[in-house]
Amino acid sequence: MKKTDMYDIADKLTNFTNQLDNVTELMLTNINNSDISKGNELDHLYFLVDYAKQISHDLYNFSDEIIKDDAK
């Protein structure tokens, strides 16, 4: 794979990470502003937010690994 292709992939992963971070922030804002009482539904929503944050973190790390491996 060419270097430019590797950097394009890493750049796209970083963009997806940023978009996912923005979505999780919107989800948290909406949850905090909602009238949902504590319960299973709210727990499920917080789980989804945490899961999305973990995916975002993993994508960022993967993108970083691509760039580091390519620099070797």
Side-chain angles (χ1 to χ4, degrees):
M1 190 176 283
K2 295 188 296 185
K3 272 191 175 190
T4 54
D5 292 340
M6 295 287 277
Y7 288 127
D8 287 343
I9 291 169
D11 190 45
K12 285 181 183 181
L13 286 173
T14 301
N15 287 336
F16 292 146
T17 298
N18 291 335
Q19 291 172 1
L20 192 54
D21 286 342
N22 291 337
V23 168
T24 58
E25 288 303 315
L26 285 172
M27 290 171 68
L28 279 175
T29 299
N30 286 328
I31 290 170
N32 291 330
N33 291 333
S34 72
D35 290 335
I36 299 173
S37 62
K38 290 281 184 193
N40 286 342
E41 187 175 344
L42 190 58
D43 290 342
H44 292 170
L45 290 172
Y46 280 121
F47 170 79
L48 289 173
V49 169
D50 290 341
Y51 185 63
K53 284 183 179 182
Q54 182 61 47
I55 292 171
S56 174
H57 178 75
D58 291 346
L59 282 172
Y60 179 81
N61 286 342
F62 184 57
S63 171
D64 205 32
E65 283 180 38
I66 289 172
I67 292 170
K68 285 180 184 176
D69 286 345
D70 193 51
K72 289 180 181 178

